[in-house]
């Protein structure tokens, strides 16, 4: 069967945009740039196991306006924003304090943001173009100047069905001197979810993001996050990828202000035929910035895992400090791991390093535990837990550390069972 | 700091930039410019080749016509006009050479100037040399001594005549004709190169060496080297290269194939000093080379050591296919780029056999406004139980106009294998420089000393004769890069 | 005969005054000790003399053998015979110690118009001197300062001093981190090198070293100024009463 979902999808997309949006002319820019469905011919998708995705027939979902009545929360004490079928549902969400503003924004603002990134490569990204074309609306969450939210903000993505794609588009903006802890939970049942998130961190601000990928087992998640970080600001993010058939968390970070820093850590836990993928590009645009990436993966059965991390240090970005470390545990001979840590450096006064290791659980350590009377599963548990805990404790705020740890334990218990 | 720039100027004025930039006047026989099937027939008939080889060349040429040049490397150059190149240039000689004394004295002089005397009494003791001048091999030394031990070391054109079955068996067996654009081109038009066969249980009694020289203008050099070492044999092979200083770019697209049988070992060292072009990037050699070794037998070992200082563009990935169980692949590399040079170099280690092991040590140094990329692939296939790889690649930046890139691909498909990769990028620390200054060293010697230290792990893999030359070369390559 | 004359030297680092009008005169055959608490400007003084980038004078005069050396590069000062034994000698991975020493000694010899050593002769020379300094052969085979213990690093500095035969040696906290045996070895080396044609500036925090290398003059450097100068007895006074007494008195 010769399917060409790329062309099919593009025509579906065009029709969808024409039929449903008044600002369709404004959306054309993105629509026209969507010319390539992710394919292994493109370097940045070469390592992704795309087979199933390209065989799927998908069309964008026209979201159902009626709300479903289910109260969902991840953390007990938090402000929740609930998205269903890719759109924000106010009636299901918590009321927010005054200094957080929820509004809709125009396509123009997205284009201005992309201009500010000043990067051509990103403009051809499939997620950007699909989702900017067919997102029902563009939602902005703004944290006002000098404000720190007292509880974590959580955004939960639900809904969708096995034939359609959904397209949430969110802009998170932190004005100067503000702080936010953000948890994003993907629990979609769609064939494809292509979340586009735009993050602006203003001067002297502090953002922490935890993303949990836990979609249904046939779902493809092509998350794309683009961040601009200004002077003296810090953005720490952590990805826990465990669900879905194919989950890719892709981050493009622009360190635009001096003395800014970014952490992009992550854990993926994969089994069966799952494909999990952490891809990032970090641009050191100005001097004195710091970036760090620590990734741990555990792969069982037929699964595959990818870490692609690229650090670009631009010409005048002296005193850049950039580190990458990826460590992967393979629990099965059928699993495969691909790493591609990449450094592209145009300034001379820098300290950059990367490392990658792939291997199995240490036999000596397992044997030591067995000799102390533990059974093999228990020994594996202990070792994997230790392998992951280090990075989780390093990345996660104490407020919800236990919750994330529990999610992680559930995740690796599941991959060990199968 | 007035004094610094003065010192540097003095150093620049007193040292020659590229001391191998001269040309030699010899009578040359050339095929007409350009590439078509007739040229290939011409080359093949010039060499009185058997029919199968002509067919093979034509097959390669037809494949090449349909191929595209690779564009994934981080190098930038304008398209090459393949019709504006001479594919065959050979010093004219009336009859077959009986001994070295009959080689054109101009050519002997050339090699002497290059520090490679070909007359046996003057030669480096213990190194046998095959000298390739443009398209053909002009001299091979110590042939008799080698043949006593059963080692065959001769130009590949001679091997085609004398040992056609051997050549036919192995030619293209490691690097398939259509592996890439340049291998297809090379297969169609290769003119000469070296052939080595080390028979079973023989440790080759001396280092073998090929010295490549491009002399003629608008000439491409397409040599082909084939080294086969049978069970438990051993050979250490050195390769050196230079070219005259010319304003146009010249193409060097070589193919090197190594085959190591059971318990055999091959050590292949290169000091590459092709003309790098001038400060503004004018002229210089395009070095687009495919080198690959196959560890066919159990416990075989192939080790690549390279010091890359020349060429305006380097595109080169000496690789190992580790098929035999417990076979070992090694890659040690120093790549220095200065001025407008571009290098995209690294290795591939393909683990297929059980308990295979590979080590990659790469040191990249970029200075001037050059660009230096390490690109490597470690692939652990499903059958490679308990395979091991260790990779270390470090980059050093000198000056703020150059760039350094590191692109490793790591693919692992079996759980009990272990792959480790480490990479760093940094500049020479001010503390180190100041310490050397305080001991009286000027900035050029301090830099050269520290850079040589940075490269030590690789340099120690080179055979002695080469190591000294390579060390000096590093200093020369970096001239004018500090201040 | 004057070797070093410093007159009213002021120096700022990142706009903060570190040296505030220092004057010091060192003649042939003399040993001067500069003592002071942490942060008093001792190491800055040594870096300034050695010509490190970022340690340029704001005002004042520095004359070495009657020549103004303020515009000299660090290596030119070294060639002229000014030696600094570092408090924390830096590691040079992959750089063989013998080669490094030969490069250094030959550039000094070249400056002096003496014939440069070839490898063989140099190895002989190094062996001889190293033996006197209790530096083991095995150490010379390693990379410069890589894998050396604290004591070995200091001994290696003194070995370099003995080989280079400088006119003026500045020993920056050479005693720090040494146990009593190592201190004796280092002092032995310094005393052996010392003669009537050269001079030493010992920069130190403690009096302990001065039991083994007896200074002719002691200067107390506090907060960027020399608060008091005197003979060896001044060091004993500081040992007993600390720097506080001197600071208060000044």
């Amino acid at each position: 069967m010769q399917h060409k979902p790329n062309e099919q999808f593009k025509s579906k997309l065009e029709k969808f945009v024409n039929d449903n949006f008044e600002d369709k002319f404004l959306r054309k820019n993105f629509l026209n740039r969507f010319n390539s469905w992710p394919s292994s011919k493109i370097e940045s998708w070469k390592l992704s196991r795309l087979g199933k995705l390209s065989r799927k027939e998908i069309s964008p979902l026209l979201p159902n306006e009626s709300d479903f009545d289910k109260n969902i929360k991840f953390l007990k004490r938090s402000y929740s924003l609930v998205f269903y079928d890719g759109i924000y549902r106010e009636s299901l969400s918590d009321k927010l304090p005054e200094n957080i503003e929820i509004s809709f924004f125009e396509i123009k603002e997205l284009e201005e943001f992309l201009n500010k990134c000043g990067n051509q490569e990103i403009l051809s990204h499939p997620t950007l173009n699909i989702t900017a074309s067919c997102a029902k609306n563009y939602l902005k969450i703004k944290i006002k100047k000098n404000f720190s939210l007292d509880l974590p903000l959580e955004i939960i993505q639900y809904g969708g069905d096995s034939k359609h794609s959904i397209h949430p588009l969110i802009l998170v903006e932190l004005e100067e001197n503000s702080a936010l802890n953000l948890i994003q939970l993907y629990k979609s049942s769609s064939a494809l979810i292509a979340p586009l998130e735009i993050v602006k961190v203003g001067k002297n601000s502090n953002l922490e993001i935890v993303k949990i990928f836990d979609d249904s087992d046939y779902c493809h998640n092509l998350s794309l996050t683009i961040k601009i970080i200004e002077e003296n600001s810090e953005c720490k993010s952590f990805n826990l990828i465990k669900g879905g058939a194919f989950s890719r968390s892709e981050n493009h970070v622009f360190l635009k202000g001096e003395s800014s820093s970014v952490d992009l850590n992550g854990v993926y836990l994969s089994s069966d035929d799952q494909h999990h993928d952490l891809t990032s590009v970090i641009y050191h645009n100005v001097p004195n910035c710091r970036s760090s990436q620590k990734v741990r993966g555990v792969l069982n059965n037929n699964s595959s895992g990818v870490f692609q991390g690229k650090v670009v240090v631009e010409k005048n970005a002296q005193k850049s400090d950039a580190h990458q470390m990826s460590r992967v545990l393979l629990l099965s001979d059928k699993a495969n791991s691909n790493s591609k840590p990449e450094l592209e450096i145009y300034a001379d006064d820098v300290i950059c390093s990367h490392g990658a290791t792939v291997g199995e659980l240490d036999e000596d350590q397992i044997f030591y535990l067995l000799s102390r009377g533990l059974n093999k599963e228990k020994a594996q548990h202990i070792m994997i837990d230790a392998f992951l805990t280090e990075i989780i404790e390093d990345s996660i705020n104490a407020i919800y550390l236990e919750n994330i740890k529990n999610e992680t334990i559930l995740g690796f218990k599941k991959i060990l069972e199968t | 700091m007035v004094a610094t720039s003065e010192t540097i100027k003095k150093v620049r004025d007193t040292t020659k930039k590229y001391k191998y930039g001269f040309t030699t006047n010899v009578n040359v026989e050339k095929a007409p410019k350009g590439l078509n099937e007739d040229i290939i027939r011409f080359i093949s008939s010039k060499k009185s080749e058997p029919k199968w080889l002509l067919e093979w060349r034509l097959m390669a040429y037809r494949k090449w016509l349909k191929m595209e040049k690779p564009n994934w490397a981080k190098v930038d150059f304008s398209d090459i006009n393949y019709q504006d190149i001479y594919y065959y240039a050979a010093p004219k000689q009336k009859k077959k050479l009986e001994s070295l004394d009959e080689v054109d004295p101009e050519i002997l002089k050339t090699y002497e100037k290059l520090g490679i005397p070909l007359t046996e009494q003057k030669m480096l003791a213990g190194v046998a040399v095959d000298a390739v001048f443009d398209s053909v091999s002009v001299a091979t030394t110590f042939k008799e001594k080698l043949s006593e031990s059963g080692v065959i070391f001769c130009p590949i054109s001679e091997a085609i005549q004398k040992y056609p079955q051997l050549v036919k068996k192995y030619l293209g067996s490691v690097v398939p004709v259509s592996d890439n654009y340049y291998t297809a081109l090379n297969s169609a038009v290769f003119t000469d190169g070296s052939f080595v066969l080390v028979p079973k249980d023989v440790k080759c009694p001396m280092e073998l060496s090929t010295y490549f020289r491009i002399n003629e203008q608008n000439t491409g050099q397409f040599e082909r080297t084939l080294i086969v070492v049978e069970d438990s044999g051993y050979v250490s092979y050195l390769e050196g290269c230079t070219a005259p200083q010319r304003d146009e770019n010249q193409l060097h697209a070589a193919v090197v194939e190594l085959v190591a049988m059971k318990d055999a070992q091959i050590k292949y060292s290169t000091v590459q000093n092709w003309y790098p072009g001038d400060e503004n990037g004018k002229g210089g050699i395009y070095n687009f080379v495919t080198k690959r070794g196959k560890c066919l037998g159990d416990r075989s070992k192939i080790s690549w050591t390279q010091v890359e200082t020349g060429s305006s563009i380097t595109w080169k990935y000496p690789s190992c296919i580790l098929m035999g169980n417990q076979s070992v692949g090694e890659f040690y590399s120093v790549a220095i780029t200065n001025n407008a040079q571009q290098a995209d170099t690294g290795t591939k280690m393909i683990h297929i056999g059980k308990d295979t092991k590979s080590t990659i040590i790469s040191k990249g140094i970029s200075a001037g406004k050059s660009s230096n990329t390490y690109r490597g692939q470690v692939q652990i296939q499903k059958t490679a139980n308990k395979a091991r790889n260790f990779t270390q690649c470090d980059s050093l930046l000198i000056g703020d106009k150059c760039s350094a890139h590191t692109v490793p691909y790591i693919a692992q498909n079996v759980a009990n294998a272990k792959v480790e990769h480490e990479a760093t990028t940094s500049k020479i620390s001010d503390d180190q420089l100041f310490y050397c200054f305080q001991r009286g060293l000027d900035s050029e010697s301090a830099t050269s000393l520290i850079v040589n230290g940075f490269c030590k792990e690789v340099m120690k893999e080179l055979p002695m004769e080469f190591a000294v030359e390579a060390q000096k070369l590093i200093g020369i390559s970096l001239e004018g890069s500090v201040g | 005969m004057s070797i070093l004359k410093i007159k009213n030297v002021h120096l700022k680092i990142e706009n903060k005054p570190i040296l505030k009008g220092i004057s010091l005169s060192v003649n042939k055959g003399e040993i001067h000790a500069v003592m002071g608490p942490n942060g008093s400007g001792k190491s800055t003084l040594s870096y300034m003399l050695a010509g490190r980038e970022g340690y340029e004078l704001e005002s004042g005069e520095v004359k070495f053998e009657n020549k103004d050396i303020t515009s000299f590069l660090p290596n030119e000062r070294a060639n002229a015979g000014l030696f600094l034994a570092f408090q924390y000698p830096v590691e040079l991975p992959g750089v063989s110690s013998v080669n490094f020493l030969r490069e250094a000694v030959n550039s000094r010899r070249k400056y002096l118009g003496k014939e440069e050593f070839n490898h063989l002769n140099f190895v002989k020379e190094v062996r001889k001197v190293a033996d006197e300094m209790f530096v083991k052969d095995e150490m010379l085979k390693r990379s410069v300062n890589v894998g050396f213990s604290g004591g070995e690093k200091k001994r290696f500095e003194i070995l370099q001093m003995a080989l280079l035969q400088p006119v003026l040696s500045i020993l920056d906290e050479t005693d720090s981190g040494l146990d009593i045996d190592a201190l004796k070895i280092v002092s032995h080396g310094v005393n052996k090198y010392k003669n009537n044609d050269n001079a030493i500036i010992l920069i130190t925090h403690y009096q302990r070293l001065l039991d083994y290398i007896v200074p002719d003059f002691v200067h107390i450097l506090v907060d960027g100024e020399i608060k008091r100068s005197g003979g060896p007895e001044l060091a004993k006074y500081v040992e007993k009463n600390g720097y506080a007494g001197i600071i208060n008195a000044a």
Side-chain angles (χ1 to χ4, degrees), chain C residues 58-77:
Chain C
E58 202 192 353
S59 65
E61 232 178 68
V62 179
K63 283 193 169 165
F64 181 65
E65 297 195 300
N66 296 320
K67 273 178 290 196
D68 177 3
I69 57 162
T70 48
S71 64
F72 279 34
L73 289 174
N75 49 312
E76 292 166 336
R77 299 179 195 214

Side-chain angles (χ1 to χ4, degrees), chain A residues 268 294-298 307 325-329 339 355-359 387 390:
Chain A
Y268 56 84
K294 289 180 206 147
V295 170
R296 301 276 158 103
V298 184
F307 168 68
M325 185 69 206
S326 154
R327 289 180 61 191
V328 178
L329 277 182
S339 317
T357 64
V358 190
F387 177 72
E390 188 190 344

Side-chain angles (χ1 to χ4, degrees), chain B residues 1 3-4 7 429-443 445 449-450 452-454 456 471, chain C residues 47 50 52 73-76 78-79 82-84 86 90-95 100 103-104 107 145 157 160 164:
Chain B
M1 299 252 261
T4 321
T7 330
S429 89
D430 292 340
D431 285 340
Q432 291 178 331
L433 282 174
F434 179 64
Y435 190 74
C436 294
F437 295 161
Q438 215 302 304
R439 296 302 180 256
L441 277 62
D442 62 27
S443 60
S445 356
L449 198 73
I450 294 168
N452 264 304
F454 173 77
K456 180 79 164 282
Q471 251 179 39
Chain C
Y47 281 151
R52 181 161 201 165
L73 289 174
N75 49 312
E76 292 166 336
N79 286 332
L82 190 150
F83 179 87
L84 171 63
F86 288 73
V90 68
E91 296 183 359
L92 304 178
V95 176
F100 173 75
E103 290 267 359
S107 46
N145 294 325
E157 293 292 291
Q160 294 178 54
L164 288 164

Side-chain angles (χ1 to χ4, degrees), chain A residues 159-394:
Chain A
D161 63 54
S162 62
K163 295 211 159 41
H164 293 90
S165 60
I166 61 174
H167 302 277
L169 198 166
I170 303 170
L171 188 158
V172 176
E173 181 175 359
L174 270 71
E175 291 192 333
E176 284 179 39
N177 299 310
S178 61
L180 175 68
N181 291 320
L182 180 64
I183 294 191
Q184 287 175 271
L185 190 61
Y186 298 102
K187 278 197 162 290
S188 158
S189 320
S190 57
L192 170 68
I193 174 169
L196 173 61
E197 280 138 29
I198 306 296
V199 176
K200 292 195 216 177
V201 184
K203 283 182 194 168
N204 306 316
S205 296
N206 207 314
L207 173 64
E208 281 190 39
I209 306 179
V210 176
K211 289 189 189 187
I212 302 169
F213 290 78
D214 198 11
D215 301 298
S216 61
D217 57 9
Y218 54 82
C219 178
H220 287 67
N221 189 324
L222 303 185
S223 159
L224 172 67
T225 307
I226 311 171
K227 298 168 176 158
I228 288 187
I229 304 176
E230 301 289 356
E231 221 172 296
N232 288 319
S233 289
E234 200 183 322
C235 177
K236 271 185 113 169
S237 70
F238 179 81
N239 292 281
L240 174 61
I241 306 183
K242 51 182 190 164
F246 179 112
S247 305
R248 165 156 164 151
S249 176
E250 180 166 346
N251 275 272
H252 291 242
V253 182
F254 296 87
L255 293 164
K256 290 275 180 194
E258 282 204 37
S259 306
S260 59
S261 81
V262 64
D263 286 87
L264 276 180
N265 296 349
V267 162
Y268 56 84
L269 304 167
S270 329
S271 186
D272 299 325
D273 287 323
Q274 285 181 308
H275 176 93
H276 288 159
D277 189 330
L278 277 163
T279 292
S280 62
V281 190
I282 299 175
Y283 294 88
H284 284 250
N285 299 106
V286 294
N288 294 310
C289 296
R290 186 193 66 87
S291 68
S292 163
Q293 277 170 282
K294 289 180 206 147
V295 170
R296 301 276 158 103
V298 184
L299 298 167
N300 202 0
N301 298 327
N302 262 321
S303 63
S304 75
V306 169
F307 168 68
Q308 300 189 81
K310 181 163 159 181
V311 173
V312 180
V313 176
E314 292 193 345
K315 204 157 221 147
N316 61 342
Q318 299 294 4
K319 309 262 179 226
S320 288
D321 186 332
H323 299 281
Q324 292 173 305
M325 185 69 206
S326 154
R327 289 180 61 191
V328 178
L329 277 182
L330 293 183
L331 302 179
S332 147
D333 278 348
K334 283 179 279 173
N336 71 65
S337 146
N338 284 286
S339 317
K340 191 185 155 206
E342 195 173 336
L343 294 170
E344 202 174 306
I345 294 165
Y346 297 93
D348 67 328
D349 192 1
V350 298
I351 301 172
C352 297
S353 71
H354 62 217
T357 64
V358 190
E360 58 179 348
L361 285 169
D362 188 294
E363 274 174 34
D364 295 339
Q365 292 172 336
I366 294 284
F367 178 72
Y368 184 79
L369 293 173
L370 295 180
S371 75
R372 292 297 175 267
L374 280 69
N375 66 26
K376 195 159 178 215
E377 284 81 65
K378 189 73 199 161
Q380 278 191 338
H381 261 219
I382 289 178
M383 293 307 300
I384 295 172
D385 191 42
F387 177 72
L388 299 173
T389 299
E390 188 190 344
I391 178 173
I392 293 171
E393 288 185 343
D394 194 33

